[in-house]
């Protein structure tokens, strides 16, 4: 049986100091953020995912965005090396957790930089964003880690948002969804569907047609429901103030066999 494990990491008490790049800084309510994070984790569990908590990294304000620290394909984990130096302390705890779960562990080495938020997997195609946090050397190392396992790696320019997955994610049928003003080149994707709200472009596939998505995108949720999907809405307003989205808050491990 393929696994349904999701790595999550409790917000740091210093969350409000998290980095912002493409948006204005606004005040983050850390207490509310913790409640929202707990509700997010509960939504994963309710839909059949076993949550695995990575040890908190209280000194790292952005550590709740656990997706950036690692990319997992089949049973291989590639530990990232963020283009934001202040985030590099986040990887040690993630590395220990994926190793404990039985992943074979590789690393991105200098001069490469790679954030997991720049990596979108659609079947065996891995799209990787070349943007502010991921460079060409990081993309080369991603190719070297995953192409021998059967992946096809496609590099995509990202200039309007923080990460590739801030612009696009994919539906269960492989259609890539994005809010067009923020997508550099929609034509790269074989099937692309534009959505009316920025946060509507972020979905986590829970299985069985269910899409975990932000409550801040009600019009997009209607569109998905109309297409036969089942939106599961969570309020992540405090994380959105730090350019976070539903994908950033967990790493879903499907390829590990129990």
């Amino acid at each position: 049986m393929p696994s349904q494990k999701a790595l999550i990491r409790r917000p740091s008490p210093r969350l409000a100091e998290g980095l912002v790049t493409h948006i204005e800084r606004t005040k983050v309510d850390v207490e509310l953020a913790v409640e929202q994070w707990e509700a997010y984790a509960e939504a994963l569990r309710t839909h059949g995912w076993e949550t695995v908590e990575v040890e908190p990294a209280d000194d790292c304000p952005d550590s709740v965005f656990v997706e950036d620290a690692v990319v997992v394909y089949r049973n291989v984990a590639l530990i990232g090396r963020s283009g934001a130096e202040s985030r590099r302390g986040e990887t040690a705890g993630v590395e220990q957790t994926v190793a404990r779960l039985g992943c074979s562990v590789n690393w991105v080495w200098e001069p490469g930089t790679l954030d997991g938020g720049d990596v979108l997997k659609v079947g065996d195609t891995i799209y990787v964003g070349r943007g502010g946090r991921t460079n060409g050397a990081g993309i080369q190392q991603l190719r070297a880690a995953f192409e021998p396992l059967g992946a096809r790696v496609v590099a995509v320019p990202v200039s309007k948002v923080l990460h590739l997955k801030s612009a696009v994610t994919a539906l269960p049928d492989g259609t890539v969804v994005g809010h067009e003003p923020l997508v550099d080149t929609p034509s790269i994707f074989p099937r692309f569907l534009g959505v009316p709200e920025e946060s509507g472009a972020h979905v986590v596939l829970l299985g069985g047609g269910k899409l975990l998505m932000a409550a801040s995108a009600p019009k997009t949720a209607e569109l998905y429901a109309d297409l036969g999907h089942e939106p599961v809405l969570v309020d992540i307003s405090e994380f959105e103030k730090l350019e976070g989205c539903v994908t950033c808050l967990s790493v879903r491990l499907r390829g590990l066999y129990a």
Side-chain angles (χ1 to χ4, degrees), residues 16-63:
E17 299 165 44
L19 300 173
V20 289
T21 311
H22 290 267
I23 59 173
E24 293 271 305
R25 182 176 289 283
T26 49
K27 193 172 169 2
V28 173
D29 179 337
V30 178
E31 244 172 81
L32 177 57
V34 170
E35 283 171 30
Q36 291 178 347
W37 177 83
E38 285 172 344
Y40 173 94
E42 191 50 45
L44 289 171
R45 289 190 289 268
T46 300
H47 294 94
W49 291 79
E50 178 196 336
T51 53
V52 178
E53 271 199 57
V54 177
E55 201 167 314
D58 286 353
D59 289 342
C60 299
D62 286 297
S63 55

Side-chain angles (χ1 to χ4, degrees), residues 186-204:
S187 60
I188 278 184
F189 308 106
R191 291 199 304 282
F192 178 82
L193 174 68
V195 299
E197 294 141 318
E198 179 180 350
S199 61
H202 317 132
V203 296
V204 171

Side-chain angles (χ1 to χ4, degrees), residues 70-221:
V70 64
V71 180
V72 182
Y73 177 73
R74 301 188 189 254
N75 66 330
V76 174
L78 180 65
I79 302 295
R81 183 170 178 269
S82 184
E85 239 169 281
S86 65
R87 295 198 60 188
R88 291 187 190 156
E90 296 173 26
T91 54
V94 173
E95 184 184 322
Q96 286 165 356
T97 305
V98 293
R100 202 172 59 236
L101 291 171
C103 290
S104 145
V105 180
N106 291 336
W107 296 264
V108 174
W109 300 104
E110 195 177 358
T113 62
L114 178 83
D115 265 7
D118 275 317
V119 180
L120 172 64
K121 293 174 290 187
V122 183
D124 287 321
T125 301
I126 299 180
Y127 294 101
V128 54
R130 167 64 180 99
R133 301 272 176 89
T134 295
N135 66 14
I139 294 172
Q140 278 177 344
Q141 294 180 41
L142 180 87
R143 283 203 175 102
F146 296 142
E147 283 190 339
L149 306 176
R152 190 171 65 102
V153 175
V154 179
V156 181
V158 174
S159 64
K160 302 172 184 179
V161 285
L162 180 59
H163 289 126
L164 176 65
K165 281 162 89 172
S166 313
V168 293
T169 56
L171 297 175
D173 62 10
T175 301
V176 171
V177 291
H179 183 53
E180 278 191 73
L182 300 177
V183 183
D184 284 75
T185 37
S187 60
I188 278 184
F189 308 106
R191 291 199 304 282
F192 178 82
L193 174 68
V195 299
E197 294 141 318
E198 179 180 350
S199 61
H202 317 132
V203 296
V204 171
L205 308 185
L206 295 172
K210 296 187 174 76
L211 310 176
L212 186 66
M213 59 182 292
S216 55
K219 289 190 188 117
T220 311

